[in-house]
Amino acid sequence: MAEVIRLTGVSRSFPTDPPVFALSDVSLRVQQGDYLAIVGPSGSGKSTLLNTLGLLDKPTKGTYALDGIETTTLSDRARTRLRGGRIGFVFQSFHLLQHRSVVENVMLAEIYGAHPRRGRRERALAALEQVGMGHRVEFLPGRLSGGERQRTAIARALLGGPSLLLCDEPTGNLDTGNTAAVLDLFDGLREQGLTILVITHDDEVSSRAKRRLRIVDGLLHEDS
Ligand code: ADP
Ligand code: MG
């Protein structure tokens, strides 16, 4: 099995006074198709870890290989390209543009990569089919339920065929029924070989993952 994530001795400190040690000597290996949930109290380093894995932030110490590519020595430009091609992000507050249709919102995911314009709409429509939103492609986000908004955001994250889906409290704004639908969707995506990492406070969400990890004061532990 291919290794998607290899973090080795990763620390991230912020040079405040006094300094904050948001991640301390974190090591983590994730195989293709893994499904991980990360839980931890507020301020424990969850977002810092997600930003690090998503190449939005850089460790102050240690190494991070994504799909076998060492990222800490890459230029900013190369990191951005790698992020655009291999990582999809899903957030608690869907971040959809209110005056753009569902399909336009998904198409916007390709703006930042080196993707050909040709076929963009078709790729967006295929991603929307994949998340069960094929019947809502011309809707504006304001007319969608919370679950439909999040499925649109997931379709946007899937555009470009990422190897890793990083989710920060993806069900935090959803009721029980919509949470269940999103979790079913994650199960299906994982069966198709996608690697999923979810930060969550919700036991229902973490219990669906294959691996559960806990972060406290920047230290990461795996529950066995
Ligand atoms: P969580 O997502 O688990 O709530 P974060 O990863 O956001 O935690 O933050 C971990 C710690 O790092 C917190 O103490 C937070 O205040 C601190 N921190 C996060 N970002 C910065 C920053 N840019 N500058 C200084 N401290 C930060
Ligand atoms: Mg956070």
Side-chain angles (χ1 to χ4, degrees), residues 93-168:
S93 50
F94 325 113
H95 296 302
L96 299 174
L97 298 180
Q98 293 307 310
H99 300 290
R100 299 293 191 113
S101 68
V102 161
V103 65
E104 285 170 339
N105 266 283
V106 174
M107 287 166 70
L108 282 168
E110 285 195 353
I111 296 293
Y112 301 105
H115 310 280
R117 204 156 158 179
R118 206 183 151 141
R120 185 171 286 167
R121 189 180 166 87
E122 288 67 30
R123 289 191 291 277
L125 292 172
L128 284 163
E129 282 296 337
Q130 208 181 347
V131 302
M133 285 292 292
H135 60 311
R136 293 281 187 268
V137 299
E138 298 301 340
F139 274 52
L140 291 176
R143 292 185 56 204
L144 302 176
S145 72
E148 289 174 329
R149 281 178 215 176
Q150 192 57 301
R151 280 190 280 152
T152 303
I154 293 169
R156 183 184 56 195
L158 292 175
L159 208 65
S163 40
L164 176 62
L165 196 63
L166 296 175
C167 314
D168 199 348

Side-chain angles (χ1 to χ4, degrees), residues 41-58:
S42 175
S44 59
K46 300 183 298 296
S47 294
T48 305
L49 178 61
L50 198 90
N51 290 343
T52 302
L53 293 172
L55 300 175
L56 297 166
D57 194 10
K58 222 174 181 171

Side-chain angles (χ1 to χ4, degrees), residues 26-98:
V26 168
S27 294
L28 174 67
R29 289 180 180 203
V30 176
Q31 307 294 319
Q32 195 215 327
D34 259 356
Y35 183 2
L36 286 78
I38 296 182
V39 300
S42 175
S44 59
K46 300 183 298 296
S47 294
T48 305
L49 178 61
L50 198 90
N51 290 343
T52 302
L53 293 172
L55 300 175
L56 297 166
D57 194 10
K58 222 174 181 171
T60 38
K61 225 171 86 188
T63 59
Y64 170 29
L66 171 65
D67 286 338
I69 301 162
E70 178 49 44
T71 65
T72 49
T73 50
L74 292 177
S75 67
D76 286 350
R77 210 173 143 193
R79 285 158 54 83
T80 302
R81 195 170 334 117
L82 198 60
R83 183 196 315 133
R86 299 186 194 241
I87 298 173
F89 292 94
V90 177
F91 301 100
Q92 175 171 359
S93 50
F94 325 113
H95 296 302
L96 299 174
L97 298 180
Q98 293 307 310

